[in-house]
Amino acid sequence: MATLHHIYRPPFLPVLALVFAAAVLAASAITWGMAFFGLPVPGVFSFTFLKLLCVFYLWAVVMAFVIVQSLTATVLPEGIRGKTFLGISKTIPWGEMASVDRIGLGPARFLRLFPESGGSPLWIPLFMKGLAAFREEARMYIGAKHPLFPFASEG
């Protein structure tokens, strides 16, 4: 019987809020751009504006769902499974993790796990649900000299 492993992923509502903020900024930029170039700007309560607003709301919900479903990490007995920056699934075995660093993309923080082979690193979201459980699970497979140990020992 196969062992089930917990898949860690970000919570939906904060991601939705972030994507929604980006959608509002995009809608504002489009409106300001239209005004700048002398194009007719729809009124706040016009049907055109409401259609545009609905499209941006729908876009925000779909994008938040896609982001939450794609930013995953799994601790396995053989290593950590996650995604590269391009969204490609990959497992880095415990013995092949060369280094670890943190990086921020706006308000989102990530842990990057670099393989010894020099390939693409895994991007582990530090805003995922169950981060403490992820750290605890990872500690079961690593020693004090492992590159991931300082991160796994936090909190």
Side-chain angles (χ1 to χ4, degrees), residues 103-149:
I103 189 166
L105 296 175
R109 303 283 179 245
F110 293 87
L111 190 71
R112 292 189 304 174
L113 306 176
F114 292 88
E116 286 180 348
S117 65
S120 298
L122 293 182
W123 287 63
I124 307 297
L126 294 177
F127 50 95
M128 63 186 164
K129 290 188 288 188
L131 185 60
F134 178 83
R135 287 179 167 139
E136 184 179 323
E137 207 174 333
R139 276 195 306 267
M140 295 182 341
Y141 300 104
I142 61 175
K145 295 187 180 190
H146 194 277
L148 191 59
F149 186 79

Side-chain angles (χ1 to χ4, degrees), residues 55-142:
V55 166
F56 278 108
Y57 282 155
L58 182 61
W59 176 84
V61 170
V62 169
M63 288 306 298
F65 180 78
V66 167
I67 289 169
V68 166
Q69 293 303 314
S70 63
L71 288 178
T72 60
T74 308
V75 178
L76 304 168
E78 59 270 11
I80 293 184
R81 182 159 190 80
K83 306 282 179 152
T84 66
F85 185 76
L86 297 176
I88 299 168
S89 290
K90 176 178 176 176
T91 301
I92 299 181
W94 297 111
E96 293 182 21
M97 290 181 198
S99 64
V100 175
D101 75 353
R102 294 171 193 256
I103 189 166
L105 296 175
R109 303 283 179 245
F110 293 87
L111 190 71
R112 292 189 304 174
L113 306 176
F114 292 88
E116 286 180 348
S117 65
S120 298
L122 293 182
W123 287 63
I124 307 297
L126 294 177
F127 50 95
M128 63 186 164
K129 290 188 288 188
L131 185 60
F134 178 83
R135 287 179 167 139
E136 184 179 323
E137 207 174 333
R139 276 195 306 267
M140 295 182 341
Y141 300 104
I142 61 175

Side-chain angles (χ1 to χ4, degrees), residues 1-89:
M1 184 170 157
T3 305
L4 296 177
H5 299 284
H6 184 77
I7 298 174
Y8 298 94
R9 65 184 76 236
F12 182 75
L13 289 178
V15 172
L16 177 62
L18 186 64
V19 174
F20 177 71
V24 168
L25 288 173
S28 299
I30 289 170
T31 304
W32 280 100
M34 290 172 69
F36 180 78
F37 290 109
L39 299 171
V41 178
V44 174
F45 296 108
S46 72
F47 187 64
T48 303
F49 180 78
L50 293 176
K51 285 192 301 186
L52 183 64
L53 198 58
C54 287
V55 166
F56 278 108
Y57 282 155
L58 182 61
W59 176 84
V61 170
V62 169
M63 288 306 298
F65 180 78
V66 167
I67 289 169
V68 166
Q69 293 303 314
S70 63
L71 288 178
T72 60
T74 308
V75 178
L76 304 168
E78 59 270 11
I80 293 184
R81 182 159 190 80
K83 306 282 179 152
T84 66
F85 185 76
L86 297 176
I88 299 168
S89 290

